Amino acid sequence: MSKINSYSIMGMRVDDVNMEETLETIDGFIKNGGSHLVVTLGVEMVMASDKDKEFSEIVNSASLVTPDSVGILWAGRRAGYPLRQRVPGVELIDAAAKESAKYGWRTFFLGAKPGVAKAAGEKLKEKYPGFNFVGEYHGYFKDDEEPLKAIEEAKPEIIFIALGFPAQEKWFMRNKDRLGNMVGVGIGGSFDVISGNIKRAPAIFRKLGLEWFHRLITQPSRFMRMAVLPAFALKVLFKGV
Ligand code: UDP
């Protein structure tokens, strides 16, 4: 695969990768060994980076940063970056499970409310019987030791982590020595979506780039968190990326 081009949006790195390249890159990480964090970058993360230097450093030194949302693509394109495609966490998990015959990574799910990661894994296994789902642990543990024990028993090659940002990225970095050769991918609320707990926006919303609007009307509790979206748009329009 040719070299991956990286760009910066308000000081946060983002890589121009499509889904196929993302899977190939992760496969390379697994084959070559080492500790690799994959970030799926959304607008809320960029807006949080100002106040959380530890988080922005983690993102900027991650092994791969995919553009998760339409806002990231839009901002990048305004700056002339040729970002081709969104690679959202929820689609990345599905694509990895679908391509199990090719990749077959030993996969662990960490995060979300008790029962949700398990339901998400079982749903994917039903859809793609070859999916190599080796274990799961919920995201409301008291100390890191609890999920680490479950992970050590399951011996995964890749962990999808759904603790919300920046907790999921910080959790992986804090435990990277203990995890050893491992790929960790922060994926936010994806298990809730895959398990059917939360419905994804209908295709028409996604096509029009209005997935955020659907989230707002179906989960009004997110209102305060989403207030950063218009602030991001204004910053891009008047200050640039
Ligand atoms: N979560 C968790 N442990 C916590 C807090 C949150 O496992 O202590 C889970 C929560 O159940 C949800 C996910 O983290 O599944 C966060 O989802 P959200 O949509 O808020 O994340 P985003 O995609 O916006 O980062």
Side-chain angles (χ1 to χ4, degrees):
M1 207 176 76
S2 56
K3 189 183 157 287
I4 294 170
N5 291 316
S6 299
Y7 302 95
S8 169
I9 295 181
M10 295 176 195
M12 294 286 261
R13 182 178 121 225
V14 64
D15 300 326
D16 175 35
V17 277
N18 60 25
M19 185 60 78
E20 204 186 323
E21 290 161 351
T22 300
L23 293 173
E24 275 298 306
T25 303
I26 291 176
D27 200 48
F29 294 158
I30 291 175
K31 290 203 170 109
N32 295 326
S35 171
H36 297 276
L37 174 67
V38 177
V39 175
T40 55
L41 188 75
V43 166
E44 290 148 323
M45 295 158 110
V46 172
M47 291 303 274
S49 65
D50 264 0
K51 290 180 214 92
D52 189 342
K53 287 291 157 227
E54 182 196 350
F55 180 56
S56 62
E57 273 164 28
I58 287 175
V59 172
N60 286 331
S61 60
S63 293
L64 187 69
V65 185
T66 75
D68 179 272
S69 70
V70 67
I72 296 290
L73 285 193
W74 171 76
R77 283 175 185 160
R78 280 194 65 89
Y81 306 156
L83 297 175
R84 286 161 296 161
Q85 199 187 80
R86 290 178 66 192
V87 181
V90 66
E91 287 175 22
L92 175 55
I93 300 174
D94 193 271
K98 187 175 178 188
E99 299 293 332
S100 289
K102 189 166 174 198
Y103 300 117
W105 308 322
R106 294 178 60 83
T107 305
F108 191 97
F109 282 179
L110 170 65
K113 300 225 169 79
V116 175
K118 187 161 192 264
E122 281 167 1
K123 271 235 162 119
L124 280 177
K125 204 147 171 67
E126 229 168 76
K127 202 168 161 195
Y128 310 114
F131 178 44
N132 199 355
F133 183 52
V134 296
E136 48 79 31
Y137 204 87
H138 67 80
Y140 294 83
F141 43 86
K142 282 195 200 76
D143 66 75
D144 289 356
E145 201 56 34
E146 293 178 34
L148 284 171
K149 276 206 181 114
I151 290 164
E152 277 166 359
E153 251 167 57
K155 300 187 180 56
E157 293 165 304
I158 184 166
I159 311 175
F160 287 99
I161 314 168
L163 304 173
F165 84 87
Q168 58 205 15
E169 288 79 14
K170 288 182 178 174
W171 184 89
F172 184 80
M173 293 312 284
R174 188 163 71 233
N175 293 296
K176 74 193 248 292
D177 291 343
R178 177 88 181 262
L179 292 165
N181 291 329
M182 189 70 73
V183 177
V185 191
I187 43 89
S190 298
F191 299 154
D192 296 301
V193 175
I194 296 168
S195 68
N197 253 12
I198 288 176
K199 292 262 169 300
R200 237 193 133 183
I204 182 75
F205 282 78
R206 305 211 296 258
K207 213 166 164 186
L208 294 173
L210 291 173
E211 194 159 13
W212 61 271
F213 180 67
H214 182 265
R215 270 190 154 191
L216 185 61
I217 53 179
T218 53
Q219 299 174 63
S221 60
R222 300 181 69 95
F223 184 77
M224 280 320 287
R225 287 189 51 191
M226 293 185 69
V228 299
L229 298 183
F232 175 77
L234 290 174
K235 233 173 151 176
V236 171
L237 289 173
F238 295 107
K239 282 192 166 163
V241 304

